[in-house]
């Protein structure tokens, strides 16, 4: 068994897939999650996938004393992957203080406790939202592209948290960090035992799409076909969630083997390929044989027109590359939706 890794938000969508990959790589995983947007059953499903039950504590990262006690209970945690955060863009506009409190307070607590408990490094879930709409000459976007003013309090918490980590490490804290800027994570585990389970009406494209395909929603609205893109719909870099999870394992290996070139490193985690919303819909229909009911609607406020990653740095430095085809990824999302119906969940 390799080192102990703490995964905050480990029962969530990306967190649960990452726990599986960490276990597959031999790490011992401790999950903490306040279950605000996930369920403890996910721990059972992780165990079904890997045959290993990760330790789980229901704990909120805002609970400083609780975190301190948890580090005391699970001695020798070597690194943290910090997923736990509020993540609904629209809600963050309505409830900015909730977002600033949760997302900033959680990270600050962890950073304060790391040196006391000998934790060496932290991988932080950042986002391509930090780039806003890159200027055309900066597409595909590299890590050197300028950080643009955030479009939402949610996006702002990602930017501020990156700064908090940089400032803390610059002040001499005995830790290192890797910031992973995710593009648009989609898909589910190939076993269909883990996937994305949004509360209520989905805001993100893929859960809305698969819920429409299965008949929970009547029709998918494509938010705008009058953008300055080849087919007029927005362009994104859709990254398979298992591929994304694997990037975290590589980042943890790099921290613990002290291979980092800087105490804070940042990597884009994307495929390098931009796909439009309409192209994605057609790829889904082709991959699954399911016809999708959709219509063109108005633009959604705050949407970025087009963004996709230049993942060269992650490819070269981390030796990580997105591998799963878009067809397999879309099939996995569809299989997950079918499995949810089988389980009577949706
Ligand atoms: C993708 C595209 C929509 C729904 C946001 C966050 C990002 C990340 C993921 C994490 C856009 C279009 C969507 C629909 C549509 N964060 N769309 N009809 O906005 O790129 O990224 O979520 O949690 O940080 O900013 O993702 O999936 O909402 O939208 O046409 O019903 O699909 O307009 O072009 P987005 P998304």
């Amino acid at each position: 068994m390799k080192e102990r890794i703490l995964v905050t938000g480990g029962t969530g969508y990306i967190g649960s897939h990452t726990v599986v990959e960490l276990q597959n790589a031999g790490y011992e995983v401790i999950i903490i999650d306040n279950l605000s947007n996930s369920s403890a059953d996910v721990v059972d499903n992780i165990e079904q996938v890997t045959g290993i039950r990760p330790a789980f504590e229901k704990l909120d990262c805002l609970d400083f004393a609780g975190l301190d006690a948890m580090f005391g209970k699970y001695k020798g945690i070597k690194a943290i992957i910090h997923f736990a955060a509020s993540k609904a863009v629209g809600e963050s506009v309505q409830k900015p203080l909730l977002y600033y409190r949760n997302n900033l307070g959680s990270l600050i607590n962890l950073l304060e406790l790391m040196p006391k408990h000998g934790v060496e490094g932290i991988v932080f879930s950042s986002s391509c939202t930090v780039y806003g709409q890159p200027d055309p000459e900066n597409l595909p976007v590299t890590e050197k592209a300028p950080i643009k003013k955030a479009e939402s309090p949610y996006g702002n918490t990602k930017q501020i948290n990156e700064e908090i980590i940089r400032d803390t490490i610059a002040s001499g804290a005995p830790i290192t960090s890797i910031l992973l800027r995710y593009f648009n994570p989609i898909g589910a585990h190939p076993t269909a035992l883990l996937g994305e389970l949004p509360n209520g009406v989905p805001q993100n494209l893929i859960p809305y799409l698969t819920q429409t395909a299965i008949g929970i929603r009547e029709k998918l609205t494509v938010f705008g076909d009058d953008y300055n893109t080849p087919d007029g719909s927005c362009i994104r870099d859709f990254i398979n969630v298992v591929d994304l999870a694997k990037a975290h394992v590589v980042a943890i290996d790099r921290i613990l083997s002290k291979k980092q070139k800087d105490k804070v490193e940042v990597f884009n985690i994307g495929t390098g390929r931009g796909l439009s919303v309409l192209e994605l819909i057609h790829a889904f229909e082709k991959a699954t044989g399911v016809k999708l009911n959709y219509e063109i609607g108005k633009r959604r406020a705050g949407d970025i027109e087009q963004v996709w990653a230049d993942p060269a740095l992650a490819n070269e430095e981390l030796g990580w590359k997105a591998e799963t085809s878009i067809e397999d990824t879309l099939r996995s999302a569809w299989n997950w939706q079918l499995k949810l119906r089988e389980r009577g969940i949706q």
Side-chain angles (χ1 to χ4, degrees), residues 59 62-71 109 113:
L59 183 60
L62 291 181
D63 177 359
F64 187 85
L67 277 182
D68 198 17
M70 183 277 307
F71 280 116
N109 283 346
L113 285 165

Side-chain angles (χ1 to χ4, degrees), residues 205-206 209 219-223 231 233 238 275-296 326 330:
L205 178 60
I206 286 297
L209 185 157
K219 123 177 1 158
L220 171 77
T221 303
V222 174
F223 297 140
D231 67 20
S233 63
F238 297 99
L275 216 59
S276 77
V277 173
L278 286 168
E279 283 173 328
L280 190 82
I281 289 173
H282 298 136
F284 176 84
E285 292 185 322
K286 195 156 167 244
T288 62
V290 179
K291 197 98 194 83
L292 193 78
N293 191 19
Y294 70 91
E295 64 179 1
I296 307 295
I326 191 72
L330 291 169

Side-chain angles (χ1 to χ4, degrees), residues 74-127:
Y74 299 99
K75 289 201 182 0
I77 289 173
K78 282 277 181 263
I80 300 172
I81 306 181
H82 182 41
F83 292 107
S86 301
K87 63 159 194 170
V89 176
E91 184 187 49
S92 79
V93 178
Q94 306 303 323
K95 301 176 185 166
L97 294 180
L98 176 83
Y99 274 67
Y100 287 116
R101 187 191 298 275
N102 278 353
N103 294 3
L104 273 47
S106 296
L107 176 69
I108 291 168
N109 283 346
L110 291 168
L111 292 173
E112 275 188 355
L113 285 165
M114 285 173 70
K116 174 176 172 188
H117 293 282
V119 186
E120 293 170 14
I122 183 163
V123 176
F124 176 65
S125 291
S126 192
S127 166

Side-chain angles (χ1 to χ4, degrees), residues 242-291:
V242 176
D243 287 344
L244 171 60
K246 288 178 179 165
H248 294 79
V249 178
V250 179
I252 287 289
D253 291 344
R254 184 172 173 97
I255 287 175
L256 295 182
S257 60
K258 310 219 180 309
K259 295 225 171 77
Q260 287 181 268
K261 293 196 172 145
D262 290 304
K263 289 182 176 174
V264 183
E265 294 180 314
V266 45
F267 297 101
N268 283 343
I269 303 297
T271 67
R273 181 196 51 216
L275 216 59
S276 77
V277 173
L278 286 168
E279 283 173 328
L280 190 82
I281 289 173
H282 298 136
F284 176 84
E285 292 185 322
K286 195 156 167 244
T288 62
V290 179
K291 197 98 194 83

Side-chain angles (χ1 to χ4, degrees), residues 324-342:
T324 315
S325 70
I326 191 72
E327 290 78 16
D328 283 348
T329 301
L330 291 169
R331 268 192 291 271
S332 73
W334 179 232
N335 288 338
W336 165 246
Q337 188 70 61
L338 291 170
K339 187 73 157 206
L340 287 176
R341 181 167 66 185
E342 208 177 290

Side-chain angles (χ1 to χ4, degrees), residues 128 131 134 138-146 183 268 307-311:
C128 68
Y131 301 119
N138 287 332
L139 277 172
V141 73
T142 72
E143 293 80 355
K144 292 201 169 73
F183 283 68
N268 283 343
V307 63
W308 69 98
D310 180 339

Side-chain angles (χ1 to χ4, degrees), residues 87 89 127 129 154 184 203-205 208 220-223 234 236 277 300 303:
K87 63 159 194 170
V89 176
S127 166
T129 53
Y154 161 75
N184 283 57
Q203 306 292 316
N204 295 116
L205 178 60
Y208 204 103
L220 171 77
T221 303
V222 174
F223 297 140
C234 292
R236 296 288 183 274
V277 173
R300 179 172 73 177
D303 262 339

